[in-house]
């Protein structure tokens, strides 16, 4: 993991088709900050803290702005997939891990199904920003979106023309902003 005097930053993404075998999904679950997992490094800027709801809204809006800039249709907000995303972000903070596969063994596809989302294809981006001075600022959101767009797998999820819906879930602790995006159609 990349650590500097300001903080730690990590990203991971996964795409799942309804007929994808679990082994294909699990191969990406243990990815950490590395070239193989598409992880990237960045620094953090300080500004006033936001609520998790405000951060979720900003991530959702920025995702659609990026999609529109690239000639794609915006995705629609989906509350049930947002609840699944929020649950995964909270679980990662509460249980101190960072992967697509939950400690209880559930994959992103399983979490979406368990939440009651009917999907044909689903994709997930996860990322966090750690800053010992506090997290959850507009600068953190911009940093996270910039990191996702510089990572080929995250960028592919954000710019997937087939996605129709997006749920965003953010969990904040004193020093960490954990974010999950759940895309699907």
């Amino acid at each position: 993991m990349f650590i500097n005097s300001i903080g730690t930053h990590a990203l991971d993404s996964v795409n799942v088709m309804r007929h994808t075998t679990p082994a294909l999904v699990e191969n990406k679950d243990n990815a950490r900050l590395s070239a193989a997992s598409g992880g990237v490094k960045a620094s953090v800027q300080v500004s006033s803290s936001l609520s998790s709801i405000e951060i979720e809204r900003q991530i959702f809006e920025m995702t659609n702005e990026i999609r529109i800039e690239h000639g794609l249709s915006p995705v629609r907000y989906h509350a049930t997939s947002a609840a699944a995303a929020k649950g995964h972000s909270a679980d990662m903070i509460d249980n101190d891990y960072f992967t697509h596969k939950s400690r209880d063994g559930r994959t992103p596809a399983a979490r979406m199904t368990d939440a009651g989302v009917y999907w044909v294809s689903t994709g997930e981006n996860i990322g966090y920003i750690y800053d010992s001075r506090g997290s959850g600022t507009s600068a953190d959101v911009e940093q996270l979106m910039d990191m996702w767009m510089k990572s080929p797998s995250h960028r592919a999820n954000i710019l997937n023309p087939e996605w129709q819906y997006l749920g965003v879930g953010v969990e904040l602790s004193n020093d960490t902003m954990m974010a999950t995006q759940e895309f699907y159609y």
Side-chain angles (χ1 to χ4, degrees), residues 85-185:
K86 178 80 168 186
H88 188 55
S89 291
D91 189 48
M92 287 190 289
I93 289 229
D94 292 346
N95 294 296
D96 194 30
Y97 71 96
F98 181 71
T99 131
H100 293 285
K101 192 173 193 177
S102 303
R103 292 283 188 207
D104 63 6
R106 291 184 308 147
T107 63
R111 286 192 302 276
M112 291 283 280
T113 299
D114 292 348
V117 178
Y118 178 77
W119 53 271
V120 174
S121 181
T122 183
E124 177 177 87
N125 284 345
I126 58 175
Y128 72 87
I129 294 182
Y130 169 82
D131 187 341
S132 60
R133 298 171 298 190
S135 64
T137 65
S138 289
D140 290 338
V141 173
E142 290 174 16
Q143 191 76 45
L144 181 67
M145 292 301 298
D146 185 57
M147 292 188 312
W148 276 340
M149 288 304 291
K150 288 179 178 173
S151 163
S153 58
H154 297 91
R155 181 183 180 90
N157 263 344
I158 291 169
L159 298 178
N160 184 333
E162 294 182 338
W163 297 145
Q164 295 176 9
Y165 301 97
L166 171 61
V168 178
V170 171
E171 186 72 11
L172 300 170
S173 70
N174 291 333
D175 55 11
T176 304
M177 180 182 85
M178 184 73 71
T180 303
Q181 287 184 310
E182 299 289 1
F183 295 93
Y184 80 97
Y185 73 88

Side-chain angles (χ1 to χ4, degrees), residues 58-71:
Q58 283 188 6
I59 291 171
F60 181 83
E61 289 175 356
M62 288 178 78
T63 299
N64 274 333
E65 288 170 10
I66 291 166
R67 288 177 62 85
I68 291 166
E69 286 172 9
H70 286 84

